[in-house]
Structure formats: C-alpha cells, structure tokens
Amino acid sequence: MAEYICLLNKDTIVIKPAKKTPILLRMIVLMFAMVCGVYICSVCLKQTSIHSKIKFQDIQVVERLSPDDDHGNLQISSVHYPNPETFSRAECAHNPVRYFAILSMQRSGSGWFETLLNSHVNVSSNGEIFSVLDRRINISSITQTLDKVYNLDWFTSASKNECSAAVGFKWMLNQGVMQHHKEISDYFNRRGVFAIFLFRRNLLRRMVSVLANSYDRHAKLLNGTHKSHVHSTEEAKTLAKYKPIINSTLLISDLKEVEITAAKALEYFNSTRHIVLYYEDLIKNPAKLKDVQAFLGLPLMELMSRQVKIHKGPLSDHVKNWEDVNKTLNGTAYESFLQADY
C-alpha cells in the first residue's frame, strides 16, 4: 500500500497510510508530471544547443576575409573616395580606392612582392615608409602618416596618383607595429585597411639573408654601394660571395623568437581584413598572385618584377660554419630548413 510523509514540525516525521485517491485526480497529477517533464527536457536541450554554438564560435578562426565581408565590428566600407589636398583626381574622382598594408619582416621577400604589386597599373605601394623613426615615434605620428598615405598625399616613384585603385605600403613588424598593435588594429578596422601578411617559411634562409645584408651595409660590395635588392645575376653573384657565420649556440632560440613574433602579429590583427602569404608559396606557384589581386578587388593582370634572387642553391654554399649549423638543427623541429630551397 502506498504511503505519504507528513511533516508535523522541524524534528518530527510521521508516516501515514495514503488515503484512496479518485482515479481522475491521479490521472490529472500524472498528466501534469508528464507536461513538466517535457518542458524541463526542452529547456535543457535548448541550453545545450546554445552552449555548443557559443563554444564553436569561440574557437572559430578567420584567416582571410573577402573585400565585401563583415566580421565582428567591421562595418566600414572596403572602398573609399579620397580627396587629396595636393592634387585633383580629376576624371578619376569617382573611382573607388582600397587601402592596404603589407606587414612583414626584413628579408622575407617584401621588397620583391611590392615590386610585383607596383607592376599593376592601378596599385601604388609606397615602400617602407616607417623606416624613418620620426614617423613612428608615437601613435599620433603613425596615424598622421597613415592618413597622409591613404589620402593619396604621399608621393613616391610608385604613386599612380589620380587613378589608383589600391594604395598602401610595406610595414616591418619591428617598426612600431607590435608596440602599438592595438591602436593600429583599431585604425585598420575603422578605416577599412586590408592587411597583407607576408612571411617566410624557411627562417634559416631568412637569417642568412639578414646577416649578409647587414654585412653589406658596411662592406658595400657593389662598387662601394650598398644594395638590398639587385636586378642582375652579376650583382647577385657578387653579393652571394660573402658567407656569414651563424651563431649556432643561439640559433634555435633565434628561430623560435621569429616564429613567436609572427604568431603574435597574426593574433593581434585577427579582427582585421587580412590574408596570409608565404614567400616560398609565391615563388613556387605564381598563380597565388591572383588571390592577392582578388583580395584587393583589382582587375587581374600579369604581375612582374625585375629583382633577382641573391642566395640560390643549397644553403651549405652560403654559410661559412655550415657543419655547426647542420649539427645544431639535425633532429630538431627546424631540420627541414637545412634542405629546403628558397
């Protein structure tokens, strides 16, 4: 026989036999319990679904945004109609312009890549403008410089002026980008600037190029003139004769530091419209340049550069203490750098 519990007071419990309940009342209670059960289950399922959706969105990574996509707070237009103070755009005043910045590290192919972009009739990429310290002394000087560039009031040999469809420059990460990353990222989002990240996969080859270029700043191997980039095989061979000595003790930590810097830059600017490129991929597959033109909303053209690669062939031909370097990297995560070309 069923029983029920009666609480007489806080310390006393008396169990009494249950009274007979009419069948109708029992059915009502049963139906009420079923309805409550269904309601509770539906609420739990709904909460689980919402939690799963939030969790998925939290781990989602956006590597590349198309020119017309919005992401988060990116509501600014991707095209602009600058009104320069120094000249009139004349019949091109109604032609839209996109803003971009090539974010890279020294000796990662950014100079070569920029010459490719500038071979497009509608692109003005104005070089490494923040190599001058006064332009990056603080965030105020940085934004003033950016405003001048994107208003088409910055003049270089690359400027297409009136009929530019995309205007920008190349910016090394150690030229204020990392120091003021929050303000710069906010500026990019506010002004609709497209960020083009260009890195190098083989960081050992980059290191050789950095050391050789640093040496030539003082040695001036080309008839007393320093050149970071050359346009003839003869000049390339002359510069390649110098073989730098790599500090094998610090080699792994130096490579890790470059990796960490690149990863942090991508994290800092993840909310911007951006694309990530690698020098080696562009060399091996020039068709990837079409992706860049599409990213900037440009009419497709064949892009060309007159620059000649300096350090060709096996790295063992370009490092003086190659045996030490080989021994240091063998069996590590960087072992592949020893063999890979470019």
Side-chain angles (χ1 to χ4, degrees):
M1 180 183 294
E3 298 176 337
Y4 69 92
I5 298 174
C6 176
L7 299 176
L8 295 180
N9 55 49
K10 186 169 68 175
D11 302 317
T12 307
I13 300 176
V14 178
I15 301 175
K16 295 183 178 181
K19 296 180 180 179
K20 293 183 178 179
T21 307
I23 294 177
L24 181 60
L25 181 58
R26 291 183 181 182
M27 292 187 66
I28 293 173
V29 172
L30 180 61
M31 289 295 294
F32 179 76
M34 290 176 64
V35 171
C36 289
V38 171
Y39 174 76
I40 292 172
C41 288
S42 65
V43 171
C44 290
L45 287 172
K46 185 176 181 180
Q47 289 178 342
T48 302
S49 174
I50 293 173
H51 176 72
S52 300
K53 185 181 295 185
I54 292 174
K55 188 174 182 181
F56 174 77
Q57 290 175 343
D58 286 343
I59 65 174
Q60 191 175 21
V61 177
V62 177
E63 180 181 275
R64 169 183 167 179
L65 299 174
S66 66
D68 300 316
D69 282 344
D70 287 329
H71 175 62
N73 295 323
L74 295 182
Q75 301 298 328
I76 194 72
S77 173
S78 61
V79 295
H80 311 272
Y81 299 88
N83 184 23
E85 299 177 0
T86 50
F87 68 93
S88 171
R89 295 190 71 203
E91 70 274 7
C92 296
H94 298 292
N95 289 4
V97 178
R98 284 191 168 90
Y99 304 154
F100 70 88
I102 304 166
L103 303 181
S104 186
M105 289 185 266
Q106 284 82 355
R107 314 310 294 177
S108 295
S110 61
W112 166 76
F113 177 73
E114 188 177 43
T115 60
L116 287 169
L117 283 185
N118 276 326
S119 70
H120 196 291
V121 295
N122 300 121
V123 176
S124 298
S125 191
N126 294 287
E128 202 171 314
I129 61 177
F130 285 108
S131 60
V132 179
L133 181 59
D134 288 345
R135 298 170 187 165
R136 64 175 197 270
I137 198 69
N138 52 44
I139 190 59
S140 177
S141 61
I142 288 175
T143 54
Q144 287 176 10
T145 302
L146 292 175
D147 287 344
K148 190 173 181 180
V149 170
Y150 294 134
N151 201 46
L152 302 184
D153 287 316
W154 194 275
F155 296 104
T156 66
S157 59
S159 301
K160 307 296 193 304
N161 297 336
E162 291 89 347
C163 291
S164 290
V167 61
F169 60 98
K170 64 174 183 171
W171 199 351
M172 301 298 104
L173 297 184
N174 62 353
Q175 295 174 350
V177 176
M178 304 300 281
Q179 182 182 356
H180 302 287
H181 64 87
K182 186 180 185 303
E183 294 88 347
I184 295 169
S185 177
D186 290 343
Y187 181 97
F188 281 11
N189 285 333
R190 187 173 68 254
R191 297 296 307 274
V193 178
F194 291 77
I196 302 174
F197 286 95
L198 177 63
F199 297 125
R200 197 157 181 170
R201 293 190 185 277
N202 193 327
L203 301 182
L204 182 60
R205 278 192 173 270
R206 174 185 176 272
M207 181 179 290
V208 170
S209 184
V210 168
L211 294 173
N213 187 63
S214 178
Y215 171 79
D216 190 66
R217 288 181 185 278
H218 305 286
K220 297 180 174 60
L221 298 177
L222 295 173
N223 299 320
T225 303
H226 169 62
K227 290 187 178 181
S228 296
H229 309 99
V230 296
H231 299 103
S232 72
T233 55
E234 291 76 15
E235 290 179 325
K237 288 178 180 178
T238 300
L239 293 181
K241 289 178 181 178
Y242 171 71
K243 296 183 180 183
I245 296 176
I246 294 177
N247 187 330
S248 57
T249 303
L250 299 177
L251 178 55
I252 292 181
S253 61
D254 287 344
L255 294 175
K256 285 182 178 178
E257 184 178 351
V258 175
E259 285 184 328
I260 291 171
T261 299
K264 283 184 176 179
L266 291 176
E267 178 185 352
Y268 292 157
F269 291 86
N270 188 51
S271 67
T272 64
R273 296 178 174 95
H274 68 275
I275 186 173
V276 182
L277 304 172
Y278 290 93
Y279 169 75
E280 291 86 348
D281 297 346
L282 294 173
I283 288 287
K284 295 175 182 177
N285 184 12
K288 284 188 174 293
L289 292 172
K290 294 180 180 179
D291 294 339
V292 180
Q293 294 179 73
F295 179 66
L296 294 177
L298 298 169
L300 290 182
M301 288 186 60
E302 183 179 354
L303 307 182
M304 297 178 294
S305 173
R306 293 177 51 240
Q307 285 192 12
V308 177
K309 184 175 173 60
I310 297 173
H311 297 99
K312 294 182 179 180
L315 265 177
S316 56
D317 294 342
H318 302 292
V319 179
K320 193 167 186 178
N321 60 330
W322 177 251
E323 290 185 4
D324 294 339
V325 172
N326 188 66
K327 183 179 179 181
T328 300
L329 296 186
N330 258 318
T332 71
Y334 306 107
E335 183 176 10
S336 61
F337 293 170
L338 297 169
Q339 304 299 330
D341 198 2
Y342 293 104

